[in-house]
Amino acid sequence: MTESTVRIGLVLPDVMGTYGDGGNALVLRQRLRLRGYDAEVVEITLADPVPDSLDIYTLGGAEDSAQRLATRHLQRYPGLQQAAANGTPVLAICAAIQVLGQWYETSSGERVDGVGMIDVTTSPQPKRAIGEVTTAPLLSGLSAALTGFENHRGGTKLGGDATGLAKVTRGVGNGVGDGLEGVVQGSVIGTYMHGPALARNPELADLLLMRALGVTELPPLPMPEVEQLRRERLRA
Ligand code: GLN
């Protein structure tokens, strides 16, 4: 590792990482390395305090009991909150949206205080949202449709400080009737898309990387396999 190594925090992969969400960190690392940057993934487990000094963070989805463990750990070691307050990009997948929010209710109806980084609340919905999800981005800097796979019972309501990442064109998304998918607040971007989301949505990966690097442009990385996957998913 050198001083210029870009450090990607994979937060609590031991409890949060449904459907290979940890792959988002690998996508970020690979897109950096292919462009000549030194990059490494730093895994932060339940045995570690959460550092505030990394360049970008990602958190995956989880089932209810695992997400409670993660919530407690992030409350105890507030490095992620400090990093986000300093503008460091954070990508939160599925349960991670719920954990970083104000509170969430588990599927058994128990209300758990979240980390409070984003202005969202989550309650279980009558029907589990499961399947492909496709959206049209609302966040400036993104133009391509976002695609992923969702599997959640929680429906997430955005408060006044949060905005939607995208509008749902297929699937459920946040699931509270506002037609929105995901959340954006400050440097935090959340989405219900597993997949892993960044393998399927390179534009989102590069937006996060540009923010992490403090640049406004990155050289293009043509990847026919990714384009093929996107075409298949958008057609399916
Ligand atoms: N337990 C949460 C829910 O069902 C999140 C699930 C997930 O991350 N896949 O809403």
Side-chain angles (χ1 to χ4, degrees):
M1 192 186 91
T2 67
E3 210 156 279
S4 61
T5 301
V6 182
R7 301 176 79 211
I8 302 155
L10 178 56
V11 182
L12 302 177
D14 42 349
V15 278
M16 300 191 66
T18 320
Y19 304 119
D21 291 333
N24 288 322
L26 301 181
V27 172
L28 292 170
R29 186 181 70 184
Q30 185 65 1
R31 294 183 78 80
L32 286 163
R33 287 184 175 171
L34 288 170
R35 289 162 165 138
Y37 290 90
D38 278 332
E40 64 167 21
V41 174
V42 179
E43 290 200 5
I44 302 146
T45 72
L46 286 177
D48 309 308
V50 183
D52 63 3
S53 55
L54 305 183
D55 298 297
I56 182 165
Y57 295 79
T58 84
L59 302 88
E63 296 318 318
D64 287 359
S65 53
Q67 92 185 58
R68 284 181 81 124
L69 291 173
T71 308
R72 220 173 298 148
H73 194 76
L74 295 173
Q75 286 163 341
R76 179 155 176 225
Y77 299 104
L80 187 69
Q81 296 86 312
Q82 281 152 16
N86 291 336
T88 305
V90 176
L91 175 69
I93 306 296
C94 195
I97 297 180
Q98 306 176 6
V99 165
L100 299 189
Q102 306 298 339
W103 53 259
Y104 57 90
E105 278 165 4
T106 64
S107 40
S108 54
E110 194 185 344
R111 188 177 285 199
V112 180
D113 277 340
V115 173
M117 279 167 66
I118 49 177
D119 190 12
V120 306
T121 55
T122 301
S123 304
Q125 302 303 301
K127 204 168 154 242
R128 176 167 283 274
I130 179 160
E132 287 293 317
V133 57
T134 307
T135 67
L138 296 169
L139 178 63
S140 143
L142 295 178
S143 56
L146 296 160
T147 95
F149 175 81
E150 62 182 333
N151 182 2
H152 55 107
R153 177 89 202 277
T156 296
K157 208 164 146 219
L158 307 186
D161 294 335
T163 56
L165 171 63
K167 264 193 147 354
V168 176
T169 50
R170 171 188 180 195
V172 176
N174 294 350
V176 290
D178 57 10
L180 296 173
E181 198 296 306
V183 53
V184 178
Q185 186 172 331
S187 64
V188 180
I189 295 180
T191 175
Y192 271 103
M193 293 183 175
H194 300 281
L198 297 186
R200 289 170 60 157
N201 301 289
E203 192 180 32
L204 179 58
D206 282 354
L207 179 134
L208 288 161
L209 288 177
M210 284 190 276
R211 290 181 174 186
L213 296 166
V215 300
T216 51
E217 244 183 302
L218 280 170
L221 272 186
M223 286 192 185
E225 312 80 359
V226 171
E227 287 318 310
Q228 173 68 25
L229 172 67
R230 285 182 55 77
R231 272 197 300 276
E232 280 171 20
R233 295 326 324 176
L234 289 169
R235 223 176 21 227

